[in-house]
Amino acid sequence: MLAVLTYASASADKYSYSFSNTPISEAIVRISKDHPEVSISFIYKELDNYKTSVIIHADDAYEALRQTIGLNPITITSSNGSLYIEALQRGRYKYQGRLIGSDSEPVVGATVLMLNPGDSTVVTYGVSDADGFFSVPCDKRDVLTKLSCLGYKTTYRRLDSFNAGTIIMQEDAINLATVTVEGSNAAAYSDKTVYLPTQRQKNASQNATDLLRFMAIPQIKINALNNVVTDNFGKEISLFINGLAASAEELEGLRTADVRRVEYLEFSTDPRYKGVPKAVNFIVQEYVYGGYTKASVSENFLVGLSSRANIFSKFSYRKMNYDLYVGSDNWDNHHIGSTVSGNYHLKTDQGGSVDAKRDELLDNTHFRENQIPVTFRATYSSDKIQIRNTAGFIHDNTPISDIDGKVVFSRRDGNSSQFKRSNPTRKNSAIYSGSFFFAMPKGYSLDITPTFNYTHTDDRLLYMAADNQMIIRNADEDAYNFRINANARKSIGRKHSLMAGINGGQWSNNLQYSGTNHYTDKFRLGFAAGLVGYNYNSSKISLGADMGVCWEGSDINSKTQNDVYPWTHVNVQYSLNSRHLFSSYFQYASNSPTISQKASDILQDNEYLYITGNPFVRNSRHITFNLAYTWLPANIFGMSAFGEYFGNYDRLVTVYSPYKDGEAVIRDYKNDGDYNQIHLGLAANLKLFDGKLQLYACPEQYFYRSSGIYDTKYSPFIFTAQAVMYVGHLYVKGYYATPERQLWSDSNTIYRSRNFHSIEGGWSNDNWNVRFTAANIFNKGWVGASLRMSSDYYSEHRINYGTYFHPRLNISVTYTINYGRKVQRGNEVGQQSGASSGILK
């Protein structure tokens, strides 16, 4: 017994506290220290099983402690001026477990009754905490557990061990009124940050990515061009809906009105997140049965044909969910291509050297592509098992990809000739992915994820230029890859867990080139890895560490290479309270060359340039270390400051060297030098006028340093800003981003795009969402980006043209129709992706 005893008269002071998932013993100690005039006695050990999440406003100590205890099985007694706190349960044994819903959310405040299996009399009871955990002391072995909570079906479990593991409770068909939380819409915990989207933000959004953009979460960024979601360090974030992985197309089908909250997770210990470093999970409302169909249409103007349309349909019955996705993407424009000014260092007939300049000037282009994805998915979900199987097919046809213009040669007295480059392609892909999750007794869980992708590609390249020189490169490719990941996890109490996993797979490309060059290639790249990990998670600290060893073997036309390398990740998050979160991350790993970088074929690209790969390039090692601090002082303001170091050592670079006795140049690959990057930034959002005006800004500073044959320094600054104003069912949003600037890691290429700006307005109701956007209205021309690179034998200045940064207008409309009774929405199936190609480009 530990007692905190002082003697004083009763106090009339105000007791004001806010506890979030705090152990009750810790909360009582805090109250006792703040009010030494009150005598409080309690037993630490017995109270450590319970946590509290409550806001307290009381005028006396007894009421403050009563609110702190809440529904937990704890008594408070007042005697002779002292307060005695005692847990009701005692026992030699302790039954532990965790309750979650089918959406992977914790079931909070559930009653856990321990019953005698013979006559169902109550032995003892407990209550699940804010994370769904329960811990109930008991003297009896082999008990029958009754689990009940409002909104969930009552569940019974016969417990023959003291660790019940994770128990999934099925939602009950109870219609609950919408609850709007006005107190706090953001809170930081040791392993995640929780955000509550406002009704205005949900109404304005057409899909999940839209919702993130309107919420302006300071820990994430969204690319305005391709809608890719990353953290502030530029690392892509995995996206989930109700704890299940979702593709970009699946997120497009999300009905944002059903989103209850959005979680930003860092190194979650939940096995359903499959060990991804960063994740965004959309918690979506659950329904009973039935289905719905959602249609989306988007059309761009002023840039040629650029349309996207898709239909998603869902039907659910009991424990099964069936999803069907059909899409159509179509492009047809005359403004995609590049102007290239290349300088080649060549030999002369007299044995000397000369710089030969070749300028490829663009006159006309025509690009047309049609893509049709179809995907079907079936999901089975029960209290212990979740099984998902997804099958997809994609037809991707580019019948026209033509560029013509003028080639000017300085070595030929400035003579010029017309050139034409035509590169039509056709791809057909078949995709399968599975997910098998099993929650087992004694805190064990098993997750198995197999994937298989197959793509057949017909690629036709025709280049005609000076002196009627013709280059024909036809490529027929069968590419496939498979991979299987298996991870087992063991929970030890509430704070500790161990994880072990194995994974392996293979990428294969069978290629046949015909035309100017004839090659038959077979590429194989296989790997196998094993890993172990440990996680510690308390209310203040989350620590994760894993390490493993990977074997990687490549076979490029019978030229083999093997590499065995270790890797490790360590991450720490510290939550001072719900307003402050500190995080740190360290990684040591390897970068593997792609199959095309290892190809030994030699292909002609133009009159002076040939391209090939190097089957003997080595893997390079890299280190990543970052720090971040997130501050959420109030609903009107949030910010995140961040910094990162990335180093890639003995990295893979492109090299240019003489070819054909110095009459041409060949591009190859080799390991050389180091690449270092420091990235600093600050992201902040501000909400004014009761959230009707939202402001977001993110300044970032980069420091690049490259060594070896590409000895270069570069320090660009970029800035992003956004403002949103809501007026009833209408909204107006403005966005601006400075040009993106980078130093590429494989050369001294400096990339610079153009600025991107847009203004959009929209209207929505329960079923319709209509949006009009005007983008880049102050830009002129079709220039998208410029790239500069220099080396001893070849230097290049390239200007890329396209539609991304050209002025354009867009209108997009979504419409959702329901049939039957409502079902779970949000984890919609979407377009899949095929196998990666090994065709040299």
Side-chain angles (χ1 to χ4, degrees), residues 120-141:
S120 296
T121 56
V122 176
V123 178
T124 185
Y125 78 100
V127 179
S128 62
D129 63 16
D131 291 321
F133 286 102
F134 66 85
S135 179
V136 183
C138 182
D139 278 325
K140 184 176 178 57
R141 288 181 175 271

Side-chain angles (χ1 to χ4, degrees), residues 282 371 384 427 487 822:
F282 297 88
Q371 188 179 89
K384 292 285 187 179
K427 297 180 181 179
N487 294 293
K822 288 185 176 180

Side-chain angles (χ1 to χ4, degrees), residues 652-688:
L652 189 68
V653 297
T654 56
V655 292
Y656 298 86
S657 55
Y659 187 63
K660 286 197 169 183
D661 296 326
E663 288 297 315
V665 171
I666 188 168
R667 187 200 72 191
D668 199 353
Y669 296 92
K670 77 170 187 177
N671 296 89
D672 179 84
D674 301 332
Y675 175 80
N676 297 275
Q677 172 191 303
I678 295 176
H679 177 200
L680 305 174
L682 175 70
N685 64 51
L686 177 66
K687 302 181 183 69
L688 302 173

Side-chain angles (χ1 to χ4, degrees), residues 541-780:
I541 297 176
S542 177
L543 167 67
D546 58 46
M547 63 183 65
V549 177
C550 181
W551 166 84
E552 190 176 284
S554 63
D555 183 343
I556 311 297
N557 293 330
S558 300
K559 298 176 181 178
T560 62
Q561 188 176 27
N562 294 282
D563 187 21
V564 177
Y565 53 87
W567 53 265
T568 186
H569 309 96
V570 179
N571 59 276
V572 180
Q573 285 88 239
Y574 171 67
S575 175
L576 180 63
N577 52 43
S578 62
R579 300 304 180 191
H580 303 271
L581 177 65
F582 299 87
S583 62
S584 177
Y585 172 68
F586 173 82
Q587 173 185 265
Y588 172 80
S590 291
N591 288 348
S592 303
T594 64
I595 289 177
S596 61
Q597 291 169 330
K598 284 177 168 282
S600 57
D601 306 330
I602 299 176
L603 304 176
Q604 188 174 3
D605 190 68
N606 62 41
E607 296 83 358
Y608 296 145
L609 182 64
Y610 291 76
I611 60 176
T612 188
N614 181 355
F616 300 109
V617 290
R618 301 180 301 276
N619 291 348
S620 59
R621 315 304 188 202
H622 71 257
I623 286 177
T624 302
F625 175 71
N626 62 50
L627 295 168
Y629 164 62
T630 300
W631 183 36
L632 305 169
N635 284 345
I636 65 170
F637 181 76
M639 60 150 282
S640 182
F642 51 91
E644 180 180 71
Y645 165 77
F646 172 79
N648 189 9
Y649 311 108
D650 195 26
R651 45 70 193 273
L652 189 68
V653 297
T654 56
V655 292
Y656 298 86
S657 55
Y659 187 63
K660 286 197 169 183
D661 296 326
E663 288 297 315
V665 171
I666 188 168
R667 187 200 72 191
D668 199 353
Y669 296 92
K670 77 170 187 177
N671 296 89
D672 179 84
D674 301 332
Y675 175 80
N676 297 275
Q677 172 191 303
I678 295 176
H679 177 200
L680 305 174
L682 175 70
N685 64 51
L686 177 66
K687 302 181 183 69
L688 302 173
F689 309 114
D690 193 28
K692 295 179 181 179
L693 176 63
Q694 297 179 203
L695 304 176
Y696 169 85
C698 181
E700 298 172 82
Q701 178 67 54
Y702 288 84
F703 301 92
Y704 296 99
R705 178 69 171 91
S706 178
S707 64
I709 62 173
Y710 294 116
D711 192 350
T712 309
K713 293 181 180 180
Y714 189 50
S715 303
F717 174 82
I718 63 175
F719 179 76
T720 305
Q722 175 180 288
V724 185
M725 178 174 288
Y726 301 94
V727 183
H729 290 282
L730 302 173
Y731 79 90
V732 178
K733 179 169 75 72
Y735 178 87
Y736 176 79
T738 58
E740 182 182 359
R741 293 180 287 178
Q742 294 180 350
L743 173 66
W744 286 8
S745 62
D746 64 348
S747 65
N748 58 5
T749 299
I750 291 179
Y751 170 89
R752 179 186 173 94
S753 67
R754 300 181 70 181
N755 76 79
F756 183 92
H757 55 273
S758 66
I759 184 167
E760 67 182 49
W763 169 88
S764 65
N765 64 12
D766 290 340
N767 296 317
W768 289 93
N769 187 299
V770 181
R771 172 182 301 165
F772 179 81
T773 305
N776 303 313
I777 55 179
F778 297 110
N779 285 353
K780 295 182 179 180

